[in-house]
Amino acid sequence: MVTHGGGSFGIGILADGTAAAVVATSPGVAGVFTGNVDVRGTLTKTDNRFKIDHPADPENRYLAHSTVESPEMKNFYDGVVSLDEHGGATVELPDWFEPLNETYRYQLTPIGAPAPNLHVSRKLADRHFTIAGGVPRAEVCWQITGVRHDAWARTHPLVVEENKKPEERGYYLHPEVQGQPAERSLGALQHKQFSRP
């Protein structure tokens, strides 16, 4: 079922189905959303980027960035901390950090001068980790990554490699980059299946 129109919830298109409820294929842009998009499930895509008006020339240019990709559900956090008179510091993290993350990895970079003895002196516990061995009063850039272990991540683990379904074999997400004709696209297959009476 596909319903068009605003309705009392302010939804432009409401689609419901056991297979693909909406299939859009276009050599240009298959869909344009102006406003918020709420995805209550897994969003699977070939590319991962944002595009904004260029901060230095918003009238004439765009700026695009790619987001970080990983075979883990990984979160990145960073900051800058000033070391105390002993060359150490404590980095405090929000109360939601440990319930959300596990398997921590640390990176430290001194600013202004080498600090060969700079290190994480105490691993993350009770929302903080400590740094030692730096130059007194120096600044240090820190980064910590964690792998998600919240309830959603545990019940919906990332499957890094998977076999295509039998009906999808021989079809491609982007056949043109594989040297295949457009009719071998998964989108064309789905459109054909969706269009059947």
Side-chain angles (χ1 to χ4, degrees), residues 89-132:
T90 298
V91 176
E92 299 282 345
L93 295 163
D95 58 3
W96 45 258
F97 187 89
E98 288 170 282
L100 178 63
N101 297 289
E102 64 181 357
T103 315
Y104 310 115
R105 297 174 184 115
Y106 309 84
Q107 297 288 332
L108 302 175
T109 304
I111 299 174
N117 295 319
L118 186 69
H119 63 281
V120 173
S121 59
R122 214 166 51 220
K123 292 181 177 182
L124 181 73
D126 298 322
R127 297 177 39 215
H128 67 272
F129 67 92
T130 57
I131 299 169

Side-chain angles (χ1 to χ4, degrees), residues 82-93:
S82 294
L83 304 181
D84 60 21
E85 67 273 14
H86 304 292
T90 298
V91 176
E92 299 282 345
L93 295 163

Side-chain angles (χ1 to χ4, degrees), residues 5-194:
S8 58
F9 293 102
I11 298 172
I13 297 176
L14 177 62
D16 186 15
T18 56
V22 175
V23 175
T25 303
S26 170
V29 178
V32 175
F33 299 91
T34 301
N36 298 328
V37 177
D38 187 4
V39 178
R40 298 179 187 180
T42 300
L43 177 63
T44 303
K45 54 198 179 303
T46 304
D47 200 351
N48 207 17
R49 66 180 73 184
F50 74 80
K51 180 179 176 182
I52 61 173
D53 291 319
H54 200 293
D57 189 6
E59 185 176 345
N60 300 301
R61 300 171 68 200
Y62 295 111
L63 177 69
H65 274 31
S66 179
T67 57
V68 175
E69 297 177 3
S70 169
E72 297 177 296
M73 290 186 181
K74 193 173 289 188
N75 292 317
F76 289 76
Y77 308 87
D78 59 14
V80 178
V81 66
S82 294
L83 304 181
D84 60 21
E85 67 273 14
H86 304 292
T90 298
V91 176
E92 299 282 345
L93 295 163
D95 58 3
W96 45 258
F97 187 89
E98 288 170 282
L100 178 63
N101 297 289
E102 64 181 357
T103 315
Y104 310 115
R105 297 174 184 115
Y106 309 84
Q107 297 288 332
L108 302 175
T109 304
I111 299 174
N117 295 319
L118 186 69
H119 63 281
V120 173
S121 59
R122 214 166 51 220
K123 292 181 177 182
L124 181 73
D126 298 322
R127 297 177 39 215
H128 67 272
F129 67 92
T130 57
I131 299 169
V135 177
R137 307 299 179 193
E139 286 188 318
V140 171
C141 295
W142 60 267
Q143 181 186 83
I144 183 170
T145 64
V147 177
R148 283 180 57 183
H149 74 144
D150 57 282
W152 176 268
R154 288 195 313 270
T155 56
H156 299 84
L158 176 64
V159 178
V160 178
E161 296 179 290
E162 63 177 298
N163 293 324
K164 293 182 178 180
K165 297 175 185 174
E167 65 272 18
E168 296 174 345
R169 291 178 185 163
Y171 290 87
Y172 304 85
L173 294 170
H174 298 282
E176 67 280 2
V177 301
Q178 305 289 346
Q180 298 293 324
E183 58 265 23
R184 305 307 295 176
S185 76
L186 190 59
L189 173 66
Q190 291 168 332
H191 184 73
K192 189 188 331 179
Q193 292 172 337
F194 186 72

